[in-house]
Amino acid sequence: MRRREFLFGAAAILATPALANPPGPFEPDLFPPLNSRADYIAWMAAHRGEDPVILGRRWDRYLEVLKFNDLWTPADKRAFLFTPREEFVLPQDRDEAYVGHYLDIGFGVTITPPGTMGRMTSALLVKPGERVLEIGTGSGYQSALLTYLTDAVYTIEIIPELAQRTRGVYDRLIGRGYREYANIHTTQGDGYYGWPTAAPFDKIIVTCGIDHIPPPLLQQLKPGGIMVIPVGPPGAQRILKAVKSVGADGEMKVVRSDIFGGAVIPFVPLTGGHQNEG
Ligand code: SAH
Protein backbone atom coordinates (compact mmCIF):
# COMPACT_ATOMS: atom_id res chain seq x y z
CA MET A 1 0.00 0.00 0.00
CA ARG A 2 2.77 2.42 0.95
CA ARG A 3 4.51 1.64 -2.29
CA ARG A 4 1.30 2.30 -4.25
CA GLU A 5 0.90 5.64 -2.55
CA PHE A 6 4.50 6.44 -3.28
CA LEU A 7 4.15 5.60 -6.95
CA PHE A 8 0.85 7.36 -7.53
CA GLY A 9 1.28 10.21 -5.08
CA ALA A 10 3.82 12.99 -4.81
CA ALA A 11 6.58 11.17 -6.66
CA ALA A 12 4.40 10.74 -9.74
CA ILE A 13 3.69 14.48 -9.81
CA LEU A 14 7.40 15.25 -9.51
CA ALA A 15 8.36 12.74 -12.20
CA THR A 16 9.63 14.10 -15.52
CA PRO A 17 6.43 15.34 -17.21
CA ALA A 18 7.52 14.07 -20.62
CA LEU A 19 7.45 10.54 -19.27
CA ALA A 20 3.87 10.76 -18.01
CA ASN A 21 2.09 7.94 -19.78
CA PRO A 22 -0.71 7.26 -20.52
CA PRO A 23 -2.03 10.77 -21.19
CA GLY A 24 -4.33 12.22 -18.58
CA PRO A 25 -7.97 12.18 -19.66
CA PHE A 26 -9.37 14.90 -21.88
CA GLU A 27 -12.14 16.82 -20.10
CA PRO A 28 -14.38 19.42 -21.75
CA ASP A 29 -13.30 22.09 -19.25
CA LEU A 30 -9.57 21.38 -19.60
CA PHE A 31 -7.75 24.13 -21.54
CA PRO A 32 -3.98 24.38 -22.05
CA PRO A 33 -2.38 27.78 -21.43
CA LEU A 34 -2.28 29.87 -24.62
CA ASN A 35 -0.10 32.70 -23.35
CA SER A 36 3.30 31.21 -24.18
CA ARG A 37 4.96 28.41 -26.10
CA ALA A 38 6.90 27.24 -23.02
CA ASP A 39 3.80 27.15 -20.79
CA TYR A 40 1.83 25.24 -23.43
CA ILE A 41 4.59 22.65 -23.86
CA ALA A 42 5.07 22.17 -20.11
CA TRP A 43 1.32 21.86 -19.47
CA MET A 44 0.77 19.40 -22.34
CA ALA A 45 3.80 17.30 -21.43
CA ALA A 46 2.47 17.03 -17.87
CA HIS A 47 -1.17 16.38 -18.80
CA ARG A 48 -0.82 14.39 -21.98
CA GLY A 49 2.61 12.81 -21.70
CA GLU A 50 3.60 14.00 -25.19
CA ASP A 51 7.10 14.77 -26.49
CA PRO A 52 8.06 18.43 -25.86
CA VAL A 53 9.87 18.65 -29.21
CA ILE A 54 6.73 17.61 -31.09
CA LEU A 55 4.58 19.87 -28.90
CA GLY A 56 6.81 22.78 -29.91
CA ARG A 57 6.18 22.02 -33.59
CA ARG A 58 2.44 21.79 -32.94
CA TRP A 59 2.51 25.20 -31.21
CA ASP A 60 4.50 26.77 -34.06
CA ARG A 61 2.03 25.49 -36.66
CA TYR A 62 -0.83 26.71 -34.43
CA LEU A 63 0.57 30.26 -34.60
CA GLU A 64 0.80 30.03 -38.41
CA VAL A 65 -2.75 28.70 -38.68
CA LEU A 66 -4.00 31.56 -36.47
CA LYS A 67 -2.39 34.12 -38.80
CA PHE A 68 -4.73 32.94 -41.57
CA ASN A 69 -7.79 33.00 -39.29
CA ASP A 70 -8.27 29.25 -39.69
CA LEU A 71 -9.24 28.60 -36.04
CA TRP A 72 -12.13 30.66 -34.72
CA THR A 73 -13.21 29.84 -31.17
CA PRO A 74 -11.28 28.88 -28.01
CA ALA A 75 -12.70 25.36 -28.48
CA ASP A 76 -11.41 25.19 -32.08
CA LYS A 77 -7.97 26.35 -30.92
CA ARG A 78 -7.92 23.84 -28.08
CA ALA A 79 -8.92 21.03 -30.49
CA PHE A 80 -5.95 21.85 -32.74
CA LEU A 81 -3.57 22.04 -29.79
CA PHE A 82 -4.76 18.71 -28.35
CA THR A 83 -4.70 16.60 -31.53
CA PRO A 84 -1.43 14.65 -31.99
CA ARG A 85 -1.11 15.01 -35.80
CA GLU A 86 2.16 13.07 -35.65
CA GLU A 87 0.14 9.92 -34.85
CA PHE A 88 -1.86 10.19 -38.08
CA VAL A 89 0.87 10.64 -40.69
CA LEU A 90 2.99 7.78 -42.03
CA PRO A 91 5.66 6.74 -39.49
CA GLN A 92 8.45 8.01 -41.75
CA ASP A 93 6.80 11.47 -41.85
CA ARG A 94 6.48 11.91 -38.09
CA ASP A 95 9.01 14.75 -38.09
CA GLU A 96 7.08 16.42 -40.94
CA ALA A 97 3.67 16.14 -39.27
CA TYR A 98 3.32 19.90 -38.71
CA VAL A 99 4.31 21.17 -42.15
CA GLY A 100 1.72 23.44 -43.78
CA HIS A 101 1.04 21.31 -46.87
CA TYR A 102 -0.46 17.98 -47.90
CA LEU A 103 1.37 14.75 -47.06
CA ASP A 104 1.00 11.42 -48.81
CA ILE A 105 -0.63 8.79 -46.56
CA GLY A 106 -0.53 5.87 -49.00
CA PHE A 107 -3.28 4.41 -51.25
CA GLY A 108 -2.98 7.46 -53.52
CA VAL A 109 -4.53 9.83 -50.97
CA THR A 110 -3.27 12.61 -48.69
CA ILE A 111 -3.76 14.17 -45.30
CA THR A 112 -5.21 17.67 -45.74
CA PRO A 113 -3.05 20.62 -44.61
CA PRO A 114 -3.58 21.75 -40.99
CA GLY A 115 -4.95 25.22 -41.83
CA THR A 116 -7.51 23.93 -44.34
CA MET A 117 -8.73 21.37 -41.81
CA GLY A 118 -8.78 24.02 -39.10
CA ARG A 119 -11.00 26.37 -41.07
CA MET A 120 -13.31 23.60 -42.33
CA THR A 121 -13.74 22.43 -38.74
CA SER A 122 -14.31 25.96 -37.41
CA ALA A 123 -16.94 26.62 -40.11
CA LEU A 124 -19.00 23.68 -38.80
CA LEU A 125 -19.62 25.56 -35.52
CA VAL A 126 -19.74 22.24 -33.65
CA LYS A 127 -21.37 22.35 -30.22
CA PRO A 128 -20.83 19.72 -27.51
CA GLY A 129 -23.07 16.70 -28.00
CA GLU A 130 -23.75 17.31 -31.69
CA ARG A 131 -23.61 14.40 -34.10
CA VAL A 132 -21.00 14.96 -36.78
CA LEU A 133 -20.46 12.85 -39.91
CA GLU A 134 -17.21 12.89 -41.85
CA ILE A 135 -16.89 11.54 -45.41
CA GLY A 136 -13.30 10.43 -46.10
CA THR A 137 -11.65 9.17 -42.91
CA GLY A 138 -8.22 8.99 -44.58
CA SER A 139 -5.52 9.41 -41.96
CA GLY A 140 -8.06 9.79 -39.16
CA TYR A 141 -6.78 13.23 -38.13
CA GLN A 142 -9.96 15.15 -38.98
CA SER A 143 -12.19 12.95 -36.85
CA ALA A 144 -9.65 13.03 -34.01
CA LEU A 145 -9.84 16.84 -34.12
CA LEU A 146 -13.63 16.67 -33.89
CA THR A 147 -13.56 14.61 -30.68
CA TYR A 148 -12.36 17.71 -28.80
CA LEU A 149 -15.55 19.50 -29.91
CA THR A 150 -18.20 16.82 -29.44
CA ASP A 151 -18.55 13.21 -28.30
CA ALA A 152 -20.44 11.80 -31.30
CA VAL A 153 -18.27 11.50 -34.41
CA TYR A 154 -19.05 9.21 -37.37
CA THR A 155 -16.62 8.69 -40.22
CA ILE A 156 -16.72 6.70 -43.48
CA GLU A 157 -13.77 5.63 -45.64
CA ILE A 158 -14.15 3.97 -49.03
CA ILE A 159 -10.72 2.28 -49.31
CA PRO A 160 -11.02 -0.94 -47.27
CA GLU A 161 -7.30 -1.24 -46.36
CA LEU A 162 -7.12 2.40 -45.30
CA ALA A 163 -10.33 2.15 -43.25
CA GLN A 164 -8.84 -0.85 -41.48
CA ARG A 165 -5.44 0.78 -40.94
CA THR A 166 -6.95 3.93 -39.45
CA ARG A 167 -9.28 1.89 -37.24
CA GLY A 168 -6.08 0.29 -35.94
CA VAL A 169 -4.53 3.73 -35.32
CA TYR A 170 -7.54 4.76 -33.21
CA ASP A 171 -7.55 1.46 -31.32
CA ARG A 172 -3.87 1.76 -30.44
CA LEU A 173 -4.31 5.36 -29.33
CA ILE A 174 -7.33 4.44 -27.20
CA GLY A 175 -5.19 1.69 -25.67
CA ARG A 176 -2.50 4.27 -24.86
CA GLY A 177 -5.03 6.45 -23.03
CA TYR A 178 -6.51 8.72 -25.71
CA ARG A 179 -9.96 7.64 -24.56
CA GLU A 180 -11.73 10.46 -26.45
CA TYR A 181 -11.15 8.49 -29.67
CA ALA A 182 -13.63 5.88 -28.42
CA ASN A 183 -16.22 8.51 -29.47
CA ILE A 184 -15.29 7.99 -33.12
CA HIS A 185 -17.50 5.49 -34.96
CA THR A 186 -15.81 4.19 -38.10
CA THR A 187 -17.14 2.30 -41.08
CA GLN A 188 -15.93 1.29 -44.53
CA GLY A 189 -18.19 2.18 -47.43
CA ASP A 190 -19.25 4.75 -49.98
CA GLY A 191 -19.84 7.99 -48.12
CA TYR A 192 -21.78 9.49 -51.06
CA TYR A 193 -24.79 7.74 -49.56
CA GLY A 194 -24.05 8.87 -46.00
CA TRP A 195 -24.69 6.66 -42.97
CA PRO A 196 -28.50 6.20 -42.94
CA THR A 197 -28.65 4.13 -39.76
CA ALA A 198 -26.74 6.78 -37.76
CA ALA A 199 -28.56 9.78 -39.32
CA PRO A 200 -29.67 12.50 -38.85
CA PHE A 201 -26.55 14.59 -38.23
CA ASP A 202 -26.15 18.14 -36.95
CA LYS A 203 -23.04 18.65 -39.04
CA ILE A 204 -21.41 16.92 -42.04
CA ILE A 205 -17.85 17.46 -43.26
CA VAL A 206 -16.79 16.06 -46.62
CA THR A 207 -13.02 15.81 -47.00
CA CYS A 208 -12.89 14.73 -50.67
CA GLY A 209 -13.90 16.77 -53.71
CA ILE A 210 -16.99 16.36 -55.90
CA ASP A 211 -18.81 18.48 -58.49
CA HIS A 212 -22.12 18.60 -56.60
CA ILE A 213 -23.52 18.21 -53.10
CA PRO A 214 -24.66 14.58 -52.71
CA PRO A 215 -28.45 14.62 -52.18
CA PRO A 216 -28.32 11.73 -49.64
CA LEU A 217 -26.02 13.83 -47.43
CA LEU A 218 -28.41 16.80 -47.55
CA GLN A 219 -31.24 14.47 -46.58
CA GLN A 220 -29.28 13.17 -43.58
CA LEU A 221 -28.52 16.70 -42.35
CA LYS A 222 -30.91 18.05 -39.70
CA PRO A 223 -32.82 21.25 -40.44
CA GLY A 224 -30.50 24.08 -39.36
CA GLY A 225 -27.55 21.77 -39.93
CA ILE A 226 -24.28 22.75 -41.62
CA MET A 227 -22.30 20.86 -44.25
CA VAL A 228 -18.77 21.81 -45.31
CA ILE A 229 -17.78 20.31 -48.66
CA PRO A 230 -15.20 20.89 -51.42
CA VAL A 231 -17.22 21.37 -54.62
CA GLY A 232 -15.87 21.80 -58.14
CA PRO A 233 -14.10 20.12 -61.06
CA PRO A 234 -11.40 17.51 -60.35
CA GLY A 235 -8.43 18.99 -58.48
CA ALA A 236 -9.93 22.51 -58.35
CA GLN A 237 -12.60 22.67 -55.69
CA ARG A 238 -13.90 25.59 -53.66
CA ILE A 239 -14.89 24.84 -50.10
CA LEU A 240 -18.55 25.53 -49.54
CA LYS A 241 -20.53 25.86 -46.37
CA ALA A 242 -24.12 24.75 -46.97
CA VAL A 243 -26.77 25.57 -44.37
CA LYS A 244 -29.99 23.60 -44.65
CA SER A 245 -33.36 24.89 -43.58
CA VAL A 246 -36.84 23.46 -43.99
CA GLY A 247 -39.81 25.81 -44.36
CA ALA A 248 -43.26 25.39 -42.79
CA ASP A 249 -44.38 23.94 -46.14
CA GLY A 250 -41.72 21.26 -45.79
CA GLU A 251 -39.62 22.68 -48.61
CA MET A 252 -35.85 22.41 -48.16
CA LYS A 253 -33.64 25.45 -48.70
CA VAL A 254 -29.84 25.39 -48.89
CA VAL A 255 -27.82 28.58 -48.46
CA ARG A 256 -24.26 28.28 -49.78
CA SER A 257 -21.18 30.37 -48.99
CA ASP A 258 -17.48 29.96 -49.73
CA ILE A 259 -15.37 29.67 -46.57
CA PHE A 260 -12.10 30.54 -48.36
CA GLY A 261 -13.36 33.61 -50.24
CA GLY A 262 -13.32 31.86 -53.61
CA ALA A 263 -9.82 30.35 -53.38
CA VAL A 264 -9.36 27.11 -55.32
CA ILE A 265 -8.29 24.25 -53.05
CA PRO A 266 -7.52 20.86 -54.57
CA PHE A 267 -8.90 17.74 -52.89
CA VAL A 268 -8.63 14.01 -53.37
CA PRO A 269 -11.68 13.02 -55.48
CA LEU A 270 -14.83 11.62 -53.92
CA THR A 271 -14.98 8.25 -55.67
CA GLY A 272 -17.61 5.57 -55.58
CA GLY A 273 -20.92 4.50 -57.06
CA HIS A 274 -22.40 7.88 -57.96
CA GLN A 275 -19.85 8.17 -60.79
CA ASN A 276 -21.64 5.37 -62.63
CA GLU A 277 -25.09 6.87 -62.17
CA GLY A 278 -26.70 8.39 -65.24
N1 SAH B 1 -10.14 13.60 -43.66
C1 SAH B 1 -8.94 12.98 -44.14
C2 SAH B 1 -8.57 13.44 -45.52
C3 SAH B 1 -8.20 12.28 -46.39
S1 SAH B 1 -8.26 12.53 -48.12
C4 SAH B 1 -7.83 13.08 -43.13
O1 SAH B 1 -8.08 13.54 -42.01
O2 SAH B 1 -6.71 12.66 -43.40
C5 SAH B 1 -9.91 12.04 -48.51
C6 SAH B 1 -10.31 10.63 -48.23
O3 SAH B 1 -11.63 10.44 -48.77
C7 SAH B 1 -9.44 9.54 -48.82
O4 SAH B 1 -9.02 8.68 -47.81
C8 SAH B 1 -10.39 8.83 -49.81
O5 SAH B 1 -10.14 7.45 -49.92
C9 SAH B 1 -11.73 9.09 -49.17
N2 SAH B 1 -12.89 8.94 -50.07
C10 SAH B 1 -12.97 9.23 -51.40
N3 SAH B 1 -14.21 8.95 -51.86
C11 SAH B 1 -14.93 8.48 -50.81
C12 SAH B 1 -16.27 8.00 -50.66
N4 SAH B 1 -17.12 7.93 -51.69
N5 SAH B 1 -16.66 7.60 -49.42
C13 SAH B 1 -15.81 7.63 -48.36
N6 SAH B 1 -14.53 8.05 -48.45
C14 SAH B 1 -14.09 8.47 -49.66
Side-chain angles (χ1 to χ4, degrees):
M1 188 62 197
R2 282 194 68 82
R3 184 169 159 73
R4 248 186 97 79
E5 278 167 11
F6 176 76
L7 280 175
F8 293 101
I13 293 163
L14 293 174
T16 314
L19 297 179
N21 201 23
F26 167 73
E27 304 287 351
D29 55 0
L30 202 62
F31 278 83
L34 299 182
N35 53 315
S36 86
R37 187 180 195 271
D39 288 355
Y40 164 73
I41 294 173
W43 188 94
M44 286 293 287
H47 281 79
R48 302 293 280 179
E50 292 173 348
D51 179 346
V53 173
I54 290 179
L55 288 167
R57 290 181 194 147
R58 194 182 306 159
W59 175 265
D60 294 342
R61 177 52 54 192
Y62 164 74
L63 292 186
E64 289 302 310
V65 166
L66 280 191
K67 279 187 201 160
F68 291 91
N69 192 29
D70 289 336
L71 294 169
W72 298 353
T73 66
D76 297 331
K77 293 173 188 173
R78 188 254 308 263
F80 185 90
L81 287 168
F82 258 86
T83 312
R85 192 170 167 93
E86 66 280 6
E87 303 290 351
F88 297 98
V89 297
L90 293 177
Q92 62 266 32
D93 290 331
R94 211 176 154 82
D95 286 347
E96 301 290 305
Y98 292 94
V99 296
H101 52 78
Y102 293 83
L103 287 174
D104 175 28
I105 55 167
F107 305 103
V109 300
T110 54
I111 179 169
T112 309
T116 310
M117 281 202 191
R119 187 172 310 193
M120 289 173 76
T121 305
S122 298
L124 287 174
L125 310 175
V126 177
K127 293 193 276 299
E130 285 188 338
R131 299 168 66 78
V132 184
L133 173 66
E134 178 196 24
I135 309 305
T137 313
S139 69
Y141 175 82
Q142 173 68 67
S143 276
L145 195 63
L146 288 164
T147 63
Y148 300 103
L149 297 167
T150 186
D151 60 3
V153 180
Y154 294 78
T155 182
I156 309 176
E157 170 57 50
I158 200 167
I159 301 173
E161 298 83 358
L162 182 55
Q164 199 182 6
R165 185 183 85 192
T166 301
R167 181 65 256 169
V169 170
Y170 288 141
D171 288 340
R172 277 190 299 280
L173 287 169
I174 294 165
R176 279 170 46 194
Y178 289 87
R179 295 200 298 258
E180 56 274 26
Y181 301 150
N183 295 328
I184 304 173
H185 307 266
T186 59
T187 193
Q188 187 273 321
D190 187 346
Y192 183 89
Y193 303 101
W195 192 329
T197 53
F201 300 98
D202 299 281
K203 307 286 159 70
I204 298 180
I205 179 166
V206 181
T207 66
C208 33
I210 183 166
D211 62 5
H212 64 278
I213 299 179
L217 296 184
L218 269 182
Q219 271 156 21
Q220 291 173 32
L221 192 61
K222 289 185 192 174
I226 298 175
M227 187 188 321
V228 171
I229 175 168
V231 177
Q237 290 85 16
R238 291 184 163 84
I239 305 184
L240 298 187
K241 169 178 166 175
V243 183
K244 168 178 169 176
S245 59
V246 179
D249 55 359
E251 200 175 320
M252 181 166 79
K253 210 173 108 188
V254 180
V255 177
R256 295 169 173 78
S257 57
D258 186 319
I259 66 166
F260 278 96
V264 167
I265 300 180
F267 267 80
V268 164
L270 194 150
T271 58
H274 71 280
Q275 293 171 316
N276 307 322
E277 288 174 7

